[in-house]
């Protein structure tokens, strides 16, 4: 059901993901300084590629009902990241489709558009 695929051997920095996903900043889904400390680099712990039916299935299983499709997808992806990494408190970064991250995302995005991205965690600060 979940489309987790093998992760690439090199982990992508979350700073790049945040720069790529304007909706994450616009909706303040993460604290502004999340994992931007120079001694920490975000770690990708899962990858997702959902079509609309898969998103609906996860939303239904998690009891997610929101006002619009974008909110439903966002809540579903957050729940998915928590499910696949229950002890790591992972957060989703959505790379596509374009309708998810566009300025009119609440009106334009549809669950049928699906969602592609990653679940990432910020490792703890190193001990001093």
């Amino acid at each position: 059901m979940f489309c987790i695929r093998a992760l690439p051997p090199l982990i992508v920095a979350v700073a790049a993901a945040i720069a790529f996903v304007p909706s994450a900043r616009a909706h303040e889904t993460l604290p502004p300084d999340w994992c931007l400390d120079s001694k920490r680099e975000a770690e990708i712990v899962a990858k997702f590629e959902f079509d609309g039916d898969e998103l609906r299935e996860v939303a239904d299983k998690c009891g997610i009902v929101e006002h619009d499709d974008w909110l439903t997808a966002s809540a579903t992806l957050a729940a998915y990241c928590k499910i696949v990494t229950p002890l790591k408190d992972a957060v989703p970064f959505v790379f596509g489709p374009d309708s998810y991250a566009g300025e009119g995302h609440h009106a334009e995005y549809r669950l049928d558009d699906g969602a592609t991205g990653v679940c990432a965690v910020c490792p703890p600060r190193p001990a001093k």
Side-chain angles (χ1 to χ4, degrees):
M1 178 181 90
F2 298 127
C3 295
I4 301 175
R5 305 209 174 156
L7 296 177
L10 296 176
I11 301 301
V12 178
V14 141
I18 291 171
F20 187 71
V21 185
S23 62
R25 289 190 311 255
H27 283 280
E28 298 178 11
T29 57
L30 296 173
D33 61 347
W34 188 83
C35 211
L36 294 179
D37 183 311
S38 62
K39 295 186 178 100
R40 297 185 301 161
E41 184 173 305
E43 176 184 348
I44 294 172
V45 293
K47 185 176 179 180
F48 54 84
E49 188 174 338
F50 291 115
D51 63 23
D53 290 337
E54 291 167 327
L55 272 175
R56 282 185 190 83
E57 184 177 346
V58 176
D60 289 345
K61 286 183 177 186
C62 295
I64 296 170
V65 179
E66 293 291 345
H67 300 288
D68 64 42
D69 284 0
W70 187 90
L71 290 171
T72 299
S74 296
T76 300
L77 296 171
Y80 171 77
C81 288
K82 301 268 189 260
I83 290 166
V84 297
T85 60
L87 300 177
K88 294 188 175 189
D89 203 26
V91 296
F93 289 90
V94 181
F95 301 133
D98 290 342
S99 60
Y100 183 88
E103 271 194 44
H105 55 267
H106 287 283
E108 296 171 10
Y109 177 79
R110 297 289 174 256
L111 285 176
D112 287 335
D113 296 344
T116 302
V118 297
C119 300
V121 297
C122 187
R125 292 183 188 275
K128 291 183 179 185

